[in-house]
Amino acid sequence: SYELTQPPSVSVSPGQTASITCSGDKLGDAYPCWYQQRPGQSPVLVIYQGSQRPSGIPERFSGSKSGNTATLTISGTQAMDEADYYCQAWDSSTEVFGTGTKVTVL
Amino acid sequence: EVQLVESGGELVQPGGSLRLSCAASGFTFSAYWMHWVRQAPGKGLVWVSRINNDGSSITYADSVKGRFTNSRDNAKKTLFLQMTSLRAEDTAVYYCARDVGGWYGMDVWGQGTTVTVSS
């Protein structure tokens, strides 16, 4: 089965950098996407193709990958970035979301 | 404006059936793959099903295979999810999402519709 594992929570001070990892055995061949979900809202795509930002997503959001681990980095974190974040990947038979990470801006 | 609007969620008894709809507007619906994604209360996102642009290729999560049917009507710009043999664990907010293709991700999401399975 296709599984993606994320840390349950990450805490960051305003203005600092938050890093969220996403690990999976099949990520080596993947270019995962990342989604932000604020409380009570629908998910929003913040990174696609592993490292690309959609139009309208602030430059402080960036994505990278090394081996079987992808990372979402939020530089200069703002209070509005407090949300749940999910990685996502797919293959020919399935799509999968990561377990999700709650980012708290202290 | 590009928009997806889900409807059809309601309270249903275990073993019952329900059909969800997702109405698309503001883009060429027939050009895109579409997904259903669900989120149980207080839990994470879980992929349910995807359908290609002309409906000829459909894939399901193991948890719903044989019980849910994903379909689309491109003329009416609407996506459907027929759910049967519903269980308590199917209780969730159900989202439809547009897929740009490849690794471009699900770039447009609806607001979600709530399905509650309870007696």
Side-chain angles (χ1 to χ4, degrees):
Chain A
S1 64
Y2 205 147
E3 297 181 355
L4 298 176
T5 302
Q6 301 178 229
S9 62
V10 167
S11 297
V12 60
S13 298
Q16 299 305 301
T17 297
S19 295
I20 305 164
T21 57
C22 170
S23 299
D25 290 345
K26 299 183 181 181
L27 272 186
D29 298 323
Y31 300 90
C33 300
W34 290 90
Y35 301 85
Q36 175 195 68
Q37 187 180 32
R38 295 190 175 108
Q41 296 187 18
S42 301
V44 172
L45 179 68
V46 295
I47 293 290
Y48 66 93
Q49 243 176 2
S51 60
Q52 304 301 305
R53 276 180 293 105
S55 173
I57 300 301
E59 291 184 6
R60 63 180 180 274
F61 288 89
S62 63
S64 63
K65 192 188 75 167
S66 177
N68 290 334
T69 299
T71 302
L72 175 69
T73 302
I74 311 173
S75 305
T77 306
Q78 300 183 7
M80 65 186 300
D81 300 329
E82 188 161 285
D84 294 325
Y85 292 83
Y86 299 89
C87 57
Q88 178 253 327
W90 63 274
D91 66 16
S92 60
S93 62
T94 192
E95 308 264 346
V96 62
F97 288 94
T99 49
T101 299
K102 181 176 183 58
V103 171
T104 301
V105 183
L106 300 172
Chain B
E1 180 190 5
V2 174
Q3 197 172 11
L4 296 171
V5 178
E6 301 94 336
S7 61
E10 63 181 51
L11 172 64
V12 61
Q13 292 191 339
S17 300
L18 205 59
R19 188 174 88 154
L20 306 183
S21 299
C22 168
S25 60
F27 66 98
T28 304
F29 180 67
S30 60
Y32 292 87
W33 290 45
M34 298 292 295
H35 297 268
W36 288 100
V37 177
R38 69 184 182 184
Q39 186 169 36
K43 302 297 185 181
L45 301 175
V46 175
W47 173 77
V48 173
S49 178
R50 71 183 175 206
I51 185 169
N52 71 341
N53 59 317
D54 65 5
S56 61
S57 176
I58 306 170
T59 311
Y60 299 94
D62 288 343
S63 58
V64 306
K65 203 173 295 182
R67 300 188 300 123
F68 289 11
T69 302
N70 191 359
S71 63
R72 65 192 297 162
D73 184 334
N74 284 343
K76 295 183 177 179
K77 302 181 72 171
T78 303
L79 178 73
F80 302 100
L81 186 67
Q82 178 69 48
M83 304 185 292
T84 63
S85 303
L86 283 163
R87 308 165 180 167
E89 54 265 35
D90 296 318
T91 294
V93 174
Y94 284 75
Y95 298 99
C96 61
R98 185 179 84 168
D99 189 333
V100 186
W103 290 102
Y104 286 82
M106 302 176 197
D107 70 329
V108 178
W109 293 67
Q111 85 290 350
T113 187
T114 300
V115 173
T116 303
V117 184
S118 175
S119 55

